[in-house]
């Protein structure tokens, strides 16, 4: 025991003298004699940290905490080491553990503030530094108190810069969109070129420029920009939407549908993706799928006249003239309530065109399950579904009710066919 203590004391002396290499050697000797000596691990960890051996320091702190898990100073030292290793979340966890053991520990609040600042939680970081400053002030530790105040001042300056940058970007994009709406596409394009030259990694700028390029007719260049936007930010829903629009324009309906599916995986409630996917389905003659997507839009935005227009067009191609008239009428009602008389009259004109159109048999398409839509009577469809569910009418009715809820406004036969299709697809 005397030998062990002798090596430990020599290690402390070397550390105090700044000779951290020799201090580590002395603590090594201690731990060879007694591998349970917690203080030797802790002090060796601090020396290793001073030498820049952050990984070695972390190993020592971990070992010390395994032996004595209630030591706040070791959590704090490990937290500082994790900060050096850019493990900000780990540093935050150590600060929080220290505060569980001692809720009045200024150094723990300071560590917490630093970690939160690096994680981008600036408001929470300020609160932590304020708490630390108050405790240091009560302890009459003016130097550390001032350090916390300086951190708060710096963070507030960061917040102001971030707000200014956001406002500048937001205003810039607003002006670009205004130019697009006025048809000043070349000017908008030049503005975005300048912004991308300033910051080549601005995903939003690439997304907007892709949109402008598509309107100018430069479809391949537009796709290249939108690809770049998604490379920089894989969660950019706007870029997926713009790319879907471009792909529809060049006839790549499968690619457009894939883009919409990608967007919906990120946000299942992203309405624009249903609209563009519906457009792609419609263009590729999958009218029943287009109707399903437009119906989803209408379910979420029942006051969107354009959604009714889209569904009416798909229903026309599906030879559902009554459904198309109903949708145009819904659009007309919305325009009437808004006092948009020009659009209202246009919707009424669409109704007249459909009413004057001769009723034909539904389009036959071997790839379309609904090709038998009008040739099968409602009674036959009902009997078919009831047979599929083992003769239980209440189950069949329930499946049809689900289809009605999901896709409002469709013909009765359509709901029974939809239930049959879903049931057979699940088998």
């Amino acid at each position: 025991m005397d030998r062990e203590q002798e090596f430990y004391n020599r290690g402390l002396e070397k550390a105090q003298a700044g000779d951290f290499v020799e201090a580590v050697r002395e603590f090594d000797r201690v731990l060879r004699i007694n591998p349970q000596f917690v203080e030797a691990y802790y002090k060796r960890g601090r020396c290793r940290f001073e030498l820049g051996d952050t990984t070695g320091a972390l190993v020592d702190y971990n070992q010390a905490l395994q032996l004595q898990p209630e030591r706040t100073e070791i959590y704090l030292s490990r937290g500082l080491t994790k900060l050096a290793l850019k493990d900000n979340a780990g540093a935050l966890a150590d600060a929080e553990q220290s505060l569980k053991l001692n809720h009045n520990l200024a150094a723990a609040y300071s560590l917490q503030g630093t970690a939160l600042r690096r994680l981008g939680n600036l408001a929470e970081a300020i609160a932590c530094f304020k708490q630390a400053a108050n405790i240091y002030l009560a302890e009459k530790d003016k130097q550390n108190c001032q350090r916390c105040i300086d951190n708060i001042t710096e963070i507030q300056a960061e917040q102001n810069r971030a707000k200014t940058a956001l406002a500048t970007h937001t205003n810039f994009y607003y002006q670009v969109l205004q130019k697009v709406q006025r048809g000043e596409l070349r000017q908008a394009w030049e503005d975005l070129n300048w912004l991308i030259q300033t910051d080549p990694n601005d995903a939003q700028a690439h997304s907007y420029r892709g949109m402008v390029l598509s309107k100018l007719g430069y479809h391949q260049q537009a796709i290249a920009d939108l690809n770049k936007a998604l490379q920089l930010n894989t969660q950019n829903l706007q870029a997926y939407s713009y790319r879907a629009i471009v792909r529809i324009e060049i006839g790549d309906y499968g690619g457009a549908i894939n883009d919409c599916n990608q967007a919906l995986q990120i946000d299942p409630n992203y309405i624009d993706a249903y609209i563009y996917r519906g457009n792609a389905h419609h263009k590729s003659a999958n009218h029943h799928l287009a109707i399903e997507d437009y119906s989803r839009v209408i379910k979420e935005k029942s006051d969107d006249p354009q959604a009714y227009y889209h569904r009416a067009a798909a229903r026309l191609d599906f030879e559902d003239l009554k459904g198309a008239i109903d949708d145009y009428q819904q659009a007309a009602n919305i325009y009437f309530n808004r006092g948009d008389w020009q659009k209202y009259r246009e919707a009424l004109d669409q109704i007249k065109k459909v009413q004057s159109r001769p009723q034909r048999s539904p389009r036959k398409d071997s790839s379309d399950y609904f090709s038998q839509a009008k040739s099968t009577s409602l009674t036959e469809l009902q009997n078919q579904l009831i047979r599929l569910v083992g003769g239980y009418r209440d189950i069949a009715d329930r499946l049809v009710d689900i289809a009605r809820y999901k896709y409002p406004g469709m013909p009765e036969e359509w709901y029974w066919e939809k239930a049959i299709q879903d049931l057979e697809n699940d088998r």
Side-chain angles (χ1 to χ4, degrees), residues 354-398:
V354 177
Q355 289 172 335
S356 64
R357 177 172 170 171
Q359 178 75 50
R360 297 196 300 268
S361 299
R363 179 173 298 178
K364 300 295 181 180
D365 184 345
S366 59
S367 67
D368 187 347
Y369 172 84
F370 296 101
S371 61
Q372 58 180 343
K374 302 297 182 180
S375 61
T376 305
S377 71
L378 177 59
T379 301
E380 289 173 322
L381 292 169
Q382 290 172 335
N383 290 337
Q384 183 181 350
L385 180 58
I386 291 169
R387 284 195 300 272
L388 287 172
V389 297
Y392 293 97
R393 176 63 189 248
D394 56 336
I395 296 177
D397 288 338
R398 176 59 181 155

Side-chain angles (χ1 to χ4, degrees), residues 76 99 102-110 131-145 147-148:
L76 290 174
L99 290 169
N102 182 356
H103 69 277
N104 202 41
L105 195 59
Y109 283 111
S110 180
Q131 187 71 20
N134 288 333
I135 297 172
Y136 281 131
L137 187 62
E139 295 173 352
K140 298 182 179 179
D141 186 343
K142 294 182 179 179
Q143 183 176 355
N144 279 318
C145 179
R147 182 172 55 81
C148 291

Side-chain angles (χ1 to χ4, degrees), residues 210-226:
M211 177 265 291
V212 172
L213 284 168
S214 71
K215 290 181 177 294
L216 287 167
Y218 302 130
H219 295 123
Q220 295 306 321
Q221 295 94 319
I223 288 178
D225 254 334
L226 294 165

Side-chain angles (χ1 to χ4, degrees), residues 280-332:
H281 283 313
H282 190 190
K283 291 283 188 180
S284 56
N286 290 319
H287 305 305
H288 67 285
L289 294 178
I291 291 169
E292 288 182 14
D293 277 335
Y294 297 143
S295 296
R296 173 61 185 265
V297 176
I298 289 169
K299 180 181 175 183
E300 299 297 326
K301 296 174 64 179
S302 60
D303 62 343
D304 183 353
Q306 283 302 309
Y308 287 105
Y309 258 80
H310 284 307
R311 193 171 70 177
R315 282 176 158 176
L316 273 177
D317 287 332
F318 194 56
E319 302 301 336
D320 177 14
L321 303 191
K322 181 181 181 304
I325 290 171
D326 289 343
D327 278 341
Y328 283 130
Q329 185 62 62
Q330 286 290 343

Side-chain angles (χ1 to χ4, degrees), residues 134-163:
N134 288 333
I135 297 172
Y136 281 131
L137 187 62
E139 295 173 352
K140 298 182 179 179
D141 186 343
K142 294 182 179 179
Q143 183 176 355
N144 279 318
C145 179
Q146 185 60 51
R147 182 172 55 81
C148 291
I149 292 171
D150 290 342
N151 274 302
I152 292 170
T153 302
E154 290 173 6
I155 294 172
Q156 289 172 336
E158 287 177 27
Q159 287 179 315
N160 290 333
R161 286 194 297 270
K163 288 178 182 177

Side-chain angles (χ1 to χ4, degrees), residues 83-150:
L83 280 180
L85 291 168
K86 301 189 185 316
D87 179 11
N88 301 315
L92 181 61
D94 278 342
E96 291 172 348
Q97 184 61 38
S98 297
L99 290 169
K100 286 180 182 178
L101 297 170
N102 182 356
H103 69 277
N104 202 41
L105 195 59
Y109 283 111
S110 180
L111 174 61
Q112 192 178 36
T114 302
L116 286 167
R117 180 181 180 180
R118 293 188 181 183
L119 289 167
N121 300 332
L122 301 185
E124 293 180 43
I126 287 175
C128 290
F129 281 122
K130 284 182 178 179
Q131 187 71 20
N134 288 333
I135 297 172
Y136 281 131
L137 187 62
E139 295 173 352
K140 298 182 179 179
D141 186 343
K142 294 182 179 179
Q143 183 176 355
N144 279 318
C145 179
Q146 185 60 51
R147 182 172 55 81
C148 291
I149 292 171
D150 290 342

Side-chain angles (χ1 to χ4, degrees), residues 43-268:
K43 294 298 192 301
R44 189 174 70 177
R46 295 189 63 175
C47 290
R48 283 176 163 173
F49 183 84
E50 293 294 338
L51 290 168
D53 181 12
T54 49
T55 302
L58 195 62
V59 170
D60 278 340
Y61 295 142
N62 289 341
Q63 186 62 43
L65 286 169
Q66 283 185 6
L67 296 170
Q68 285 189 8
E70 304 298 315
R71 295 281 297 277
T72 56
E73 68 272 25
I74 302 178
Y75 280 111
L76 290 174
S77 294
R78 190 174 71 174
L80 289 170
T81 304
K82 288 179 178 178
L83 280 180
L85 291 168
K86 301 189 185 316
D87 179 11
N88 301 315
L92 181 61
D94 278 342
E96 291 172 348
Q97 184 61 38
S98 297
L99 290 169
K100 286 180 182 178
L101 297 170
N102 182 356
H103 69 277
N104 202 41
L105 195 59
Y109 283 111
S110 180
L111 174 61
Q112 192 178 36
T114 302
L116 286 167
R117 180 181 180 180
R118 293 188 181 183
L119 289 167
N121 300 332
L122 301 185
E124 293 180 43
I126 287 175
C128 290
F129 281 122
K130 284 182 178 179
Q131 187 71 20
N134 288 333
I135 297 172
Y136 281 131
L137 187 62
E139 295 173 352
K140 298 182 179 179
D141 186 343
K142 294 182 179 179
Q143 183 176 355
N144 279 318
C145 179
Q146 185 60 51
R147 182 172 55 81
C148 291
I149 292 171
D150 290 342
N151 274 302
I152 292 170
T153 302
E154 290 173 6
I155 294 172
Q156 289 172 336
E158 287 177 27
Q159 287 179 315
N160 290 333
R161 286 194 297 270
K163 288 178 182 177
T164 301
L166 179 60
T168 301
H169 265 67
T170 301
N171 184 57
F172 183 90
Y173 289 133
Y174 174 77
Q175 291 178 5
V176 166
L177 291 176
Q178 288 294 304
K179 289 179 180 179
V180 171
Q181 290 177 1
R182 293 194 300 266
E184 300 169 3
L185 299 178
R186 289 283 175 181
Q187 293 91 324
W189 180 40
E190 290 171 1
D191 287 347
L192 291 165
N193 287 341
W194 174 84
L195 184 58
I196 290 171
Q197 286 176 354
T198 305
D199 182 4
N201 294 320
D202 189 330
Q204 194 75 343
H206 283 285
S207 181
Y208 277 121
R209 191 171 72 175
M211 177 265 291
V212 172
L213 284 168
S214 71
K215 290 181 177 294
L216 287 167
Y218 302 130
H219 295 123
Q220 295 306 321
Q221 295 94 319
I223 288 178
D225 254 334
L226 294 165
N227 289 344
K228 180 67 174 179
L230 288 167
Q231 178 186 340
L232 293 167
N233 179 8
T234 58
Q235 306 296 301
N236 191 332
L237 296 174
Q238 186 183 67
Y240 280 117
S241 293
Y242 288 158
R243 195 168 68 177
I245 294 170
V246 178
R247 285 176 161 170
I248 290 171
E249 289 177 355
I250 64 176
D252 180 12
Y253 305 128
I257 291 168
N258 182 62
D259 277 339
C260 294
N261 290 341
Q262 290 286 336
L264 290 170
Q265 284 184 5
I266 298 168
D267 182 0

